[in-house]
Amino acid sequence: MSTTNYPSASPQGAPPKRDSKNLIIGLLAVGILGTWGYFLWDKNKSDQKITQLQTQYVAVDSSKNELQKSFDAALTRLDSLTGYNNELEGKVNDKTSEITKLKGQIGSILKKQRLSEGEKKKAQALIGELNDKIANLEQEVARLTAENQQLTTDKTQLTADKEKLTTDLQTTTQQKDELATKVDIASTLNASNITVTPVNEKKNGKESETTSAKKVDKLVIAMDVANRIAQSGSTDVYVCITGPDGQPVAVEALGSGKFTTREEGEKLFTAKVPVDFEAGKSKHVEFAWKQNSAFKQGNYKIEVYHNGFKIGEATRSLKKGGIFG
């Protein structure tokens, strides 16, 4: 029997052991690769979802920012109007009250971190309404501003007119006062034919003139007064008598007193004589001065005043004895 170096052939039905092992390894490798592939695919999908969500978040955030910008722009317009509105003394308070309410509603929505579609739409609608109200407020402010400017113009014109009228009135008043002063001065009575008569009253009631100081009981002063422009009515004439000693004759108990002259200041008067004057006519005035003491020897000076001016004077001498003739 011969021998050979070649092995004998294996039976037909048995698979080689090495091939089974390789098959298992291959299957495991395929499984692992498939798992990793799934993981990679799943991760890729997750990344895509994350990116999509981030994009949506950015879009939502951007949308919110746009709403906030629109709201801020509306508030800026409102602030400028509100400041001017304060100058218009609250004439648009009703409109600003409605705007304040809208501001609060919009602000409450925009405070949220994230907004739903419904909230975004509501915010957009409210901002639109806010802008409409602000536009109306702008128109109202513009109208009130125009009215205010017109009122300012009218006030300026009225002030100028008032100042002119005041100036004219002052000028007219001054002219009137000057005219009144001239009329007042011109209406001062003129005295003429002044006489001073010393009179002795006898026991039988008869009267006679005398120049003897010790016999004189009274001085009768007479004059004619007239003025062409003086108005009719009652006026006072002041008679001032100065005695021989140079002192004013004034007895308070007999009606003497003080009055103010235009040139000499305050002065004592002996008697105030009422005169019923008729315009355009001469009036004869007569007054008797009967004092409560004896008349003295010497010169008696009589001055007559009206309206603060001296309108006449006369002098009468009383002697130690003798009869006036």
Side-chain angles (χ1 to χ4, degrees), residues 59-72:
V60 170
D61 190 57
S62 176
S63 177
K64 179 184 176 184
N65 288 338
E66 288 301 318
L67 289 172
Q68 186 68 51
K69 287 179 181 179
S70 297
F71 184 51
D72 291 341

Side-chain angles (χ1 to χ4, degrees), residues 166-183:
T166 301
T167 302
D168 292 345
L169 179 61
Q170 289 174 345
T171 301
T172 303
T173 301
Q174 183 179 357
Q175 292 173 346
K176 179 182 177 182
D177 291 342
E178 291 174 356
L179 181 60
T181 300
K182 290 179 181 178
V183 172

Side-chain angles (χ1 to χ4, degrees), residues 39 167 203 280 296:
F39 286 155
T167 302
K203 292 181 180 179
K296 297 178 182 179

